[in-house]
Amino acid sequence: MAKLHNLGLPRIGEKRQLKKALESYWKGKSDAEQLLQCAASVQQQNFARSSALDFLQVGDFSFYDQVLDCSFMLGNVPERVLEQNYDPLDVYFRAARGRSPADSCGCGVSAGEMTKWFDTNYHYIVPEFTGDTQFSLNPEVLIEQVQQAKACGKAIKPVVIGPVTYLWLGKAKDGSDKLKLLKDLLPVYAELFEVLDKEGVQWIQIDEPALVTELEPQWQQAYLTAYRYLAARKVKLLLTTYFGELKDNLALVASLPVDGVHIDAIRAKKEVDALKALLDPGQVLSVGLVDGRNIWKTDLNQALDFIEPIAKELGERLWLAPSCSLLHVPVDLAFETALDEQIKDWLAFAVQKLEELEVIAVALKQGREAVAKVLAQNAQSLQNRRTCRRVTDDRVAEAQASIKAASFERKSRFEQRAKLQRDRLNLPLYPTTTIGSFPQTPHIRKARRQFKTGELNQAQYVEQMQAEIADCIARQERLGLDVLVHGEAERNDMVEYFGEQLQGFVFTQNGWVQSYGSRCVKPPVIYGDVSRPKPMTVEWTRYAQSLSAKPVKGMLTGPVTILNWSFVRDDQPRAKTCEQLALAVREEVLDLERAGIEIIQIDEAALREGLPLRKSQWQDYLDWAVGCFKLCANGVLDSTQIHTHMCYSQFNDIIEAIAKMDADVITIETSRSDMALLSVFERFNYPNEIGPGVYDIHSPNIPSVESIVQLISMAAKYIPKQRLWINPDCGLKTRNWDEVTPALSNMLKATEQLRQQA
Ligand code: GLN
Ligand code: ZN
């Protein structure tokens, strides 16, 4: 009968225990012993949660990041973090975050670079290579997990990142060809397999998600080289692919000498048959039937319709699993005690997803009758969801149907608008501004907390927030900024703040998902048609504007960013949900305009994050994402100035799409690359105004006047100075005033110098 397994569980703990234990250890408030105890209990819980599976998974636990663990296991640790008399755990934290409790203040090293794990919101530490990188096996951490799991008396399946994906994820610091390292890497994997074999391990899950991306021929060849080399081994390998279709790598995957292959049957459902046909009669096919990337219940009957014939054909050779590791969903729905009961009934978190698999397995083994009741309940939940009147809103459908081509476009071209805006706003050369948020002081957080718990009533809360806004405006006036902001004191989070005021969203209490290290996010859930019952930001903005003769920017989060940072309904295309968000934000934009706000910024911090894994699919995404931005922004009068902000630096490859957004002004992060990324403007003539961030807000360092003058002078080589704005590279909410005031003051001094030189 089909075997059940999992590809990984969240390790942060259902109440974020590991996060708390880590942060306390880093601060020196608890010792390694306490941290290890927390880790052991999370792992034990995960073993307990896996009791119905045929394997216990190990290797999915990590103190920080599984890719960094892999680097340590392979002996690829940057020189700079090694400190002879340190505990191995502290060396590891140095590599992860630049310092460990053993480092006295200020003597850390630079942390490993972090980047997004495929198209998820999880960030891994990028392996570092040079032409001379050597590998050596350090399996102790993994072996210890294996030994702990053995106590449960079950078959154990360790997961390791495959050699080709490991190289693919890393970066050659010296520009050398990292593929050349493969031949030295493979013997270490072979040695690892031997060690695991001695531990009694029969199956190893070897993750090769790079196989769902567009691979150059030499990378495809690397797969053949690697797995042929590793063919002589005692352990069995389950090669796992996930997050997408294999496309032209499918035949390659089927030809590799491994003992089984896992395919993501949510995102690559239509490839399951083709892969099945190509596998040898000796190979296992693992089908990822339950969505590991979203929080909706599986349609169990539909899953059974799909898998029953495959099970008949394959028998023992079929394995079942979630589509990918469950790291990307929250742990357990049972902890959601305050969630709307009706909507809760439509959801499944990691624990529930494993239960779904169990039901499918029983149905395959004993027939659907054996689980008739569960199947009926599941069908009922799905039926409720499909027909629930809270999901569909006719007014939203009507609004979508009546969108016209003209709704996407400004009334006039940029040149004409710019002239009107110049006359209206009367800004100096090099206008100065900020990205929106100002320090979220303990005082502000306390007020928001007290309002939530009812300690402050509405009137008291408004009064406190207005005082914060007034303080923020006064400080900006003293500094001498040209375009002010209200400071975002009322916002806990740039997506949650809007989601909470929109129809179609719910929020969880413990729906945390690891973003990196100890950092977690709690994405809102978009369950239904989105609409805006009433204005969301107008009163705060109007109040701020009433305090100053200078223009105050309205500050909104854009539709694409709200979408990309939420769990999105799966019953309609994402583009359609995004369009609903765009219509809601559009209403807000128009209300701000009616309230006399002359400049409106719509942040699209996460636009780039939504890019599909395959470049061939980028255009389609960019078309609708840019369309949604235009829909929300472009209903305004020519004299209203639209700003947008994006906080990533690599946009060379999507600059054409960004230009199509047609925002009057765009502010971007550039300071960390010393404006290097502006070189894209040599090949591409960006038509509108631009504010390349002049200092890095992620660092507590105060930028010098000279450094800012220098950066702007560099920027002026690429962009005519009449179109340049001066601003930090992102919002200031994570900084404190002692950092912000001198930093902005230097920014304004630098601007003064530049204006004099002009
Ligand atoms: N307006 C937001 C802020 O200043 C933008 C945040 C972001 O880009 N991530 O905080
Ligand atoms: Zn930003």
Side-chain angles (χ1 to χ4, degrees), residues 435-437 488 494 555 565 601 603 605 645 647 730-733:
I435 306 304
S437 58
E488 302 183 24
M494 65 187 283
M555 195 58 58
W565 284 346
Q601 176 174 317
D603 291 327
H645 165 71
C647 43
C730 195
L732 299 164
K733 70 175 181 188

Side-chain angles (χ1 to χ4, degrees), residues 271-280 285 309-310 313-314 317:
E271 290 184 344
V272 173
D273 270 339
L275 181 63
K276 173 165 60 78
L278 287 176
L279 292 182
D280 296 344
L285 176 67
I310 301 178
E313 187 184 332
L314 296 185
R317 288 175 54 211

